[in-house]
Structure formats: C-alpha cells, structure tokens
C-alpha cells in the first residue's frame, strides 16, 4: 500500500519531483556513457575536417577546370554529406557527455584539418604547426582527464527546473543586455571589429549549446523508453536551437566576409568554447561538487588547446576574398598596372559591356 501511495503521488504531483529526483539522478554507469560521448564527438569532428578539405579540393579542381559550378561536383556533395554526419555526431554527443567537455573537443577538427591539408593538399608544414598540434593534443588530453565525469538524465522536468532557476534567469538577462549593446555598436555605430562580431556569435552559441544538449538529451531518454517529446519544453528548446543556430551562422558568415579565416577560426573556437563552458556551468551545473584541482587543470587544458589552435591557424593559407568594390587594373583589357580602381555606381555604364569597351579604348590610346 505504501508503494502504491508513493507511485500515485508521483503521478499526481510530477512538478514537485524535478529538484529532488531528477537533479540528483546519475547514470548507472557514467564512465561508459562519458567515453561514448567523447568518442562520438571526436569522430564527428574528424568527419567535419575531412568534409571541409574535400570541399576545398573540389573548389580547387573546379576552378582549374573552369567548366561547371562547384555544386555540380559529386565530390563537393560528398563533403557536404560528411559534414552533415559529423554535425549529427556532435549533436548526439551532447546527450552523453557534459557540454563543457564536448565544446573544447572542437579543436580535434582543427588538428585533423591541418594534418589532412598537409598530407593530401600538399600544404607546407611549419614548426608552429607541430608545436600547435602538440599543445592542442596535450590540452585535449588534460581537459578530458579532469572534466566532470558524471552526467544526469536530461528529462523534460529537469530542463524546465533549470530554465526557471534564478542563476540562469540572471545569466540570461545579462546576456541579453550585452547582446543588445554589441548589436547597437555593430549596426548603428558601424563598428566592424572582429571581437564584436565574434562576441555576438558566442552569445548566441551559449543558447545553442543549452538547447542542443536539452533536445539531444530528451531524444536520448525517449529512445531509452521514457518519452519526453510530449512535453512543451522540448519544442521550446527545439525552436531556440534552430533560431540561435540560424543567427549564429548569419553573423559568422558576415565575419568570414569581412575578415580572413585564419583570424575567424581561432577566435571563434575560443569564444565558442568559453561560452559553452559557462553555459554548462550556469544551466546544467556541471562543475557542482568538482574539486578545485580538477577545475584548474580543466581550464589549463582549455588554455593549451586555445594556444595550439592559434598556432595552427596562424600559418594557414589566406582565403579572404578580394574586395568586390574594386576592380583590379590587370583584369581590364589594355591595362597592365596592378592598381585598383573603384567604379562609379551612378553611371549608366557601371558594370556593363560598354564600360569595358571604354576602358579598352582608353588603354589603346594611352599605349599608342
């Protein structure tokens, strides 16, 4: 009778149990689940690096041939598919391991990409690449060793309990204020500094990490037999995940247009990792009960990974696009100079065939 009373009370008052039952519920074998999340994340990041190099090779080959667009290449589409599989692996990894661990493992993608580009794309190997790779691998080993080794069941009741906690609401309020201030400086004051753009991406990334882990964890629990998709909090987190990812990609693409990839990649990795760690600490309380030595060594491992990624990305080939507001003089018939000119957008011949003919004629008269 006592068991029946307890079970019936848990069905009648399900909202009273999250803080006690779900928050302290630890997986029965956390080590296997923990290692599974690490392996899935590493494999996903390796696939992402392979896909990026395949797409890069497809772009180079299509540019040499100069016949068809890159999206008609089967190799390019293979790279896209591999990237999708890799991102899916990262998504699944959040359901098995803490977010503060999965995010720093993104340096595996940078290391693998550097190795693949040297071996297959015949890019030069510098001393800083070796030092950076060594530091990144060492940092990854250290942070994996000292990261939190326990993980709770991510259920709908637990996510709802975390979402209305005072520390997360305070964190969300501060993040919204900072985001609005940065957006004002970026849009209204026209401050196009790389730090401002990357901070906008990082603030969105923190919401992405929170929502991705919530959605992935609830899907994992549903697959295990405890259906979580019937709760509204699942769809709220799903909408937050999609929206934050979309705006994050938007600002990241703007940064790639304004700055070189060798600047964007390491700064984005550092800011994204830092925001993911803070999000895991504030929302999921992943560092609760962790010893100070573990926290210090975990942060030290992250620092080694940051330095290693900066050293690797510093010597990568420059792929920044040329400014489209200017026309290279050596691209105009009849001109042999390497200077650039800016066309007048208000003229009727701007960008037309007549403009090229006029430049050609003026070049012929100058030569004569």
């Amino acid at each position: 009778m006592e068991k029946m009373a307890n079970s019936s009370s848990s069905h009648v008052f399900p909202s009273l149990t999250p803080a006690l039952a779900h928050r302290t519920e630890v997986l029965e074998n956390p080590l296997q689940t923990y290692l599974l999340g690490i392996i899935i994340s590493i494999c996903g990041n390796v696939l992402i690096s392979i896909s990026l190099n395949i797409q890069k090779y497809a772009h180079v080959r299509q540019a040499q041939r100069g016949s068809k667009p890159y999206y008609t290449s089967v190799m390019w589409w293979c790279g896209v598919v591999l990237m999708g599989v890799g991102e899916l692996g990262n998504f699944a990894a959040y359901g098995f391991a803490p977010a503060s661990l999965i995010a720093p493992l993104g340096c595996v993608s940078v290391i693998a990409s550097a190795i693949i580009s040297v071996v297959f794309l015949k890019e030069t190997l510098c001393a800083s690449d070796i030092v950076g790779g060594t530091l990144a691998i060492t940092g990854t080993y250290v942070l994996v060793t000292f990261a939190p080794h326990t993980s709770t069941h991510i259920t709908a009741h637990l996510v709802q309990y975390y979402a209305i906690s005072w520390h997360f609401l305070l964190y969300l309020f501060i993040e919204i204020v900072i985001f609005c201030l940065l957006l004002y400086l970026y849009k209204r004051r026209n401050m196009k500094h790389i730090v401002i753009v990357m901070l906008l991406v990082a603030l969105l990334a923190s919401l992405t990490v929170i929502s991705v882990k919530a959605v992935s964890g609830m899907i994992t629990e549903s697959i295990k037999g405890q259906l979580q998709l019937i709760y509204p909090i699942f769809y709220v987190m799903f909408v937050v995940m999609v929206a934050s990812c979309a705006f994050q990609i938007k600002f990241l693409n703007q940064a790639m247009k304004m700055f070189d990839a060798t600047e964007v990649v390491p700064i984005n990795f550092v800011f994204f990792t830092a925001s993911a760690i803070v999000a895991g600490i504030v929302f999921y309380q992943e560092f609760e009960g962790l010893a100070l030595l573990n926290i210090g060594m975990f942060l030290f491992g992250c620092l080694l990974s940051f330095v290693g990624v900066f050293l690797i990305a510093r010597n990568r080939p420059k792929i920044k696009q040329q400014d489209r507001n200017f026309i290279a003089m050596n691209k105009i018939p009849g001109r042999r100079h390497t200077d650039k000119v800016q066309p007048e957008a208000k003229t009727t011949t701007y960008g037309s065939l007549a403009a090229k003919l006029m430049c050609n004629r003026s070049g012929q008269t100058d030569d004569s």
Side-chain angles (χ1 to χ4, degrees), residues 160-231:
Q160 187 174 356
Y161 168 75
Y162 284 149
I164 60 176
S165 59
W166 67 268
H167 43 80
F168 172 69
L169 294 177
L170 178 61
Y171 169 76
L172 185 62
F173 174 76
I174 295 174
E175 184 174 276
I176 292 175
V177 172
I178 297 175
F179 184 85
C180 293
L181 178 61
L182 293 174
L183 192 62
Y184 171 76
L185 295 176
Y186 179 69
K187 292 292 186 180
R188 297 297 181 181
R189 294 296 181 178
N190 200 29
M191 296 178 63
K192 307 296 183 181
H193 197 276
I194 187 172
V195 175
I196 294 178
V197 184
M198 290 294 98
L199 282 176
L200 289 171
V201 176
L203 292 175
L204 291 169
S206 65
L207 296 178
T208 303
V209 170
I210 291 173
S211 57
V212 164
K213 183 171 178 59
V215 173
S216 177
M218 284 188 279
I219 290 177
T220 302
E221 290 299 315
S222 299
I223 294 175
K224 291 180 179 179
Q226 298 181 0
L227 186 60
Q228 305 294 318
L229 308 185
I230 59 176
Y231 297 99

Side-chain angles (χ1 to χ4, degrees), residues 335-354:
R335 296 287 184 179
R336 298 181 179 178
H337 304 286
T338 58
D339 299 332
K340 296 178 180 179
V341 295
Q342 185 175 15
E344 293 291 339
K346 296 181 180 180
T347 60
T348 56
T349 58
Y350 172 72
S352 62
L353 180 62

Side-chain angles (χ1 to χ4, degrees), residues 350-363:
Y350 172 72
S352 62
L353 180 62
K356 297 181 180 180
L357 294 176
M358 290 175 63
C359 292
N360 190 16
R361 291 176 181 176
S362 61

